[in-house]
């Protein structure tokens, strides 16, 4: 398990992505999986940067774990921002046009569709979102 802690700022998405991609390459992760996880990082870290901390920014830890059986990568995002469970929101109705759909929820919906499991818990004053992607 490796982790990186940085400020929850949009400009740090690139550094987080590079950190994760370096580990994924060392795992022999297929490019398609890496690309999907890049979208996950952009969506999840971006949401934390925009919404978690009411006044400015705070820390975010991104943890990367490789599981052997079944072969998978776990990405965990941990912040001390406002408690928020993104999985509690109903999935958007993708059969509607963009104009007809309510704003919000499409990013986490994409995360759920591109990964094999997503879980959330609020523990010890922290939001903990874990994404699992099978290799």
């Amino acid at each position: 398990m490796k982790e990186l802690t940085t400020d929850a700022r949009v400009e740090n998405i690139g550094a987080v992505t590079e950190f994760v991609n370096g580990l994924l390459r060392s795992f022999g992760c297929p490019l398609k999986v890496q690309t999907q996880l890049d979208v996950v990082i952009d969506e999840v870290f971006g949401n934390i940067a925009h919404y978690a901390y009411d006044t400015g920014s705070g820390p975010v830890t991104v943890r990367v774990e490789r599981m052997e059986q079944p072969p998978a990568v776990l990405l965990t995002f941990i912040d001390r921002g406002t408690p928020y469970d993104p999985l509690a929101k109903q999935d958007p109705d993708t059969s509607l046009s963009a104009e007809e759909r309510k704003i919000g929820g499409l990013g986490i919906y994409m995360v759920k569709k591109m990964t094999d499991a997503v879980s959330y818990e609020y523990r010890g004053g922290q939001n903990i979102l874990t994404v699992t992607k099978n290799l």
Side-chain angles (χ1 to χ4, degrees), residues 29-71:
C29 184
L31 184 58
K32 179 180 179 181
V33 170
Q34 181 178 322
T35 302
Q36 290 170 328
L37 290 175
D38 287 351
V39 173
V40 169
I41 294 165
D42 191 63
E43 287 297 328
V44 174
F45 193 92
N47 281 342
I48 293 168
H50 284 291
Y51 306 113
Y53 296 99
D54 291 331
T55 56
S57 181
V60 179
T61 298
V62 179
R63 182 177 298 152
V64 183
E65 298 176 74
R66 184 168 192 266
M67 308 304 290
E68 296 297 326
Q69 290 301 323

Side-chain angles (χ1 to χ4, degrees), residues 104-121:
L106 193 56
I108 195 67
Y109 175 76
M110 289 186 338
V111 167
K112 291 192 288 189
K113 290 297 181 186
M114 285 190 284
T115 60
D116 296 289
V118 183
S119 66
Y120 169 84
E121 66 177 314

Side-chain angles (χ1 to χ4, degrees), residues 50-96:
H50 284 291
Y51 306 113
Y53 296 99
D54 291 331
T55 56
S57 181
V60 179
T61 298
V62 179
R63 182 177 298 152
V64 183
E65 298 176 74
R66 184 168 192 266
M67 308 304 290
E68 296 297 326
Q69 290 301 323
V73 172
L74 274 67
L75 289 184
T76 302
F77 299 84
I78 304 165
D79 71 76
R80 294 188 170 279
T82 303
Y84 178 70
D85 179 358
L87 305 179
K89 188 170 184 162
Q90 185 176 355
D91 288 341
D93 183 350
T94 57
S95 67
L96 299 175

